[in-house]
Amino acid sequence: MKIDFDKLGGLVPAIVQDAETKNVLMLGFMNPEAYEKTVATGHVTFWSRTRQCLWTKGETSGHFLHLVSIQNDCDNDTLLVKVHPEGPTCHTGTDTCWGETNTPDRLAFLKELQDFIDKRHEEMPEGSYTTSLFKKGVNKIAQKVGEEALETVIEATNGTREQLVYEASDMIYHLIVLLTQQGLRIEDVVEELQKRHDPNWDKKRRMEKSKEQ
């Protein structure tokens, strides 16, 4: 990877991002030695402009930034450093240097689940429940979606909140399997919902267009 350290007199900005939550944790600077040490040790290391020396984040606090990947930008002069943080990142004790809480976006897990089901569909490993569904075909998968939807309705009308969440989770999982079997992803559903959220969305025109197709 070619990094242009010359633009800023031997340094490049290094934006540190949590690899899981995608939240930005801090901004530091690296020179060639800091970059090389980061890659070699797996602990993110910067060049301190104040102390004029290398410093590895966490070397005194124990709050290391465990390296996942480093990407260069289009001008080769800014790094995106993805990490798994160990404890708070900021020296003040906050999760980020902007005082924000580094909490995951739970909805983002739907994409992770979709990716997992896609991989199951591609590899079809033996002993996997998801594999067994794909082998049974679209009719069986669609039937399971219907069964789980019915159980969700039952829990909503006569059950508990805990069981409603449980059954709704089963329904969404089987729906993603069905979408995958049909060459679609959960993002396609999200895209449709985004269209409907537009105040100018015309349901009647959408239905007429579908009939024409």
Side-chain angles (χ1 to χ4, degrees), residues 8 14 29 31 54 57-59 61 75 90 95 112 117 126-127 139 149 158 168 179-180 193 195 198 207 209:
L8 292 179
F29 289 85
N31 62 5
L54 294 178
K57 182 71 181 72
E59 59 189 355
S61 66
D75 292 323
C90 186
D95 289 348
E112 184 178 337
I117 292 174
E126 292 297 329
N139 290 342
N158 288 300
L179 291 169
T180 303
L193 290 172
K195 291 177 182 176
D198 188 331
M207 295 298 291
K209 186 177 180 181

Side-chain angles (χ1 to χ4, degrees), residues 91-156:
H91 71 282
T92 64
T94 58
D95 289 348
T96 80
C97 287
W98 291 270
E100 298 174 324
T101 301
N102 184 27
T103 54
D105 179 1
R106 296 197 183 280
L107 288 177
F109 176 73
L110 287 177
K111 180 182 183 303
E112 184 178 337
L113 178 60
Q114 174 73 76
D115 292 342
F116 176 82
I117 292 174
D118 278 350
K119 190 173 182 181
R120 282 286 192 261
H121 190 224
E122 179 183 345
E123 299 177 352
M124 299 289 279
E126 292 297 329
S128 163
Y129 173 69
T130 308
T131 297
S132 70
L133 286 173
F134 285 129
K135 286 184 176 180
K136 290 174 182 176
V138 62
N139 290 342
K140 183 62 177 178
I141 299 171
Q143 179 184 335
K144 285 296 294 180
V145 174
E147 291 173 358
E148 299 300 343
L150 177 59
E151 291 178 7
T152 299
V153 170
I154 292 172
E155 290 300 331

